[in-house]
């Protein structure tokens, strides 16, 4: 039977300390191939949020009243962390070791995907997009709270893993593609 799953897109908030550590370790420009999830707010569960293979994850950072989109990962597989060593092919297991900086806390799941857009800490979501950035859930749609004059005053509405409305996902994807083209030029 064919998979009838319609791909969704989600954001996950990375802390400023994690972003600084990734920048210091030379990760800017590297393509995401894995993400980690867990049971706590500091490392939330992608499975609990409803993420499935085929979905896209956009790590974001709230920094100095701006929202930065850091990259994207298309999920190919979700593997329980405790069996990742035996379940992942050798190449993916090496990527797991390579991206262990993202493993902040107690990990229960590993998201694996083909290389996504290069990790960038400079891609700012424009104020007009920030004001209309829309998330969706079973309860309906919502825009981000605490946004004024194109500035993000608090990141409370981003803490966790949240599903983007299709139009907002398309706009984030276009933003990443434009930045990737500008960087490559």
């Amino acid at each position: 039977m064919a998979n009838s799953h319609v791909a969704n897109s989600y954001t996950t908030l990375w802390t400023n300390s994690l972003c600084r550590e990734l920048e210091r370790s030379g990760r800017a420009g590297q393509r995401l191939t894995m993400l980690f999830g867990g049971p706590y707010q500091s490392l939330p569960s992608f499975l609990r949020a409803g993420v499935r293979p085929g979905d896209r994850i956009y790590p974001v950072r709230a920094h100095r009243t701006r929202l930065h989109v850091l990259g994207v990962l298309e999920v190919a597989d979700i593997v329980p962390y405790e069996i990742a060593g035996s379940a992942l092919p050798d190449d993916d297991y090496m990527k797991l070791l390579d991206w262990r900086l993202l493993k902040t806390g107690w990990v229960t799941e590993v998201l694996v995907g083909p290389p996504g857009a290069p990790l960038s800490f400079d891609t700012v979501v424009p104020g007009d997009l920030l004001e209309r950035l829309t998330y969706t859930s079973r309860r309906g749609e919502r825009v981000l709270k605490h946004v004024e004059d194109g500035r993000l005053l608090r990141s409370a509405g981003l803490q966790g893993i949240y599903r983007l409305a299709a139009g907002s996902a398309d706009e984030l994807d276009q933003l990443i593609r434009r930045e990737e083209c500008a960087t490559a030029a």
Side-chain angles (χ1 to χ4, degrees):
M1 187 165 143
N3 183 357
S4 62
H5 174 65
V6 174
N8 291 306
S9 296
Y10 297 79
T11 61
T12 184
L13 182 67
W14 285 2
T15 64
N16 285 311
S17 60
L18 173 61
C19 290
R20 282 190 298 272
E21 182 62 30
L22 289 167
E23 284 180 290
R24 270 196 298 273
S25 67
R27 294 307 174 133
Q30 292 187 10
R31 295 177 182 275
L32 276 177
T33 55
M34 27 205 71
L35 293 170
F36 299 92
Y40 300 116
Q41 184 176 353
S42 61
L43 190 67
S45 171
F46 289 95
L47 288 171
R48 196 171 327 127
V51 173
R52 297 172 47 190
D55 291 342
R56 295 169 67 92
I57 310 297
Y58 295 89
V60 295
R61 173 189 195 182
H63 186 63
R64 297 185 176 161
T65 73
R66 293 189 171 154
L67 182 65
H68 299 253
V69 62
L70 307 171
V72 62
L73 176 78
E74 185 175 328
V75 180
D77 198 7
I78 303 172
V79 178
Y81 182 72
E82 69 270 5
I83 66 163
S86 60
L88 292 173
D90 289 346
D91 286 354
D92 285 339
Y93 186 71
M94 294 309 294
K95 293 173 190 170
L96 182 138
L97 296 175
D98 192 42
W99 284 104
R100 68 183 168 270
L101 276 176
L102 297 177
K103 213 177 86 178
T104 58
W106 192 39
V107 173
T108 57
E109 59 206 35
V110 180
L111 279 67
V112 181
L119 198 56
S120 171
F121 300 96
D122 301 324
T123 306
V124 175
V125 175
D128 62 323
L129 174 53
L130 184 62
E131 289 179 355
R132 68 178 181 275
L133 198 64
T134 306
Y135 289 89
T136 188
S137 70
R138 281 179 243 144
R139 290 181 276 171
E141 292 191 346
R142 70 172 174 91
V143 293
L144 276 178
K145 293 181 181 178
H146 314 295
V147 175
E148 252 178 50
D149 299 324
R151 297 176 312 129
L152 182 64
L153 304 180
R154 283 192 270 158
S155 62
L158 291 163
Q159 293 171 351
I161 299 166
Y162 295 105
R163 185 165 45 116
L164 287 159
S168 289
D170 290 343
E171 287 193 83
L172 283 185
D173 199 58
Q174 289 171 17
L175 179 62
I176 287 175
R177 289 177 194 272
R178 275 195 307 271
E179 290 296 319
E180 189 175 6
C181 289
T183 304

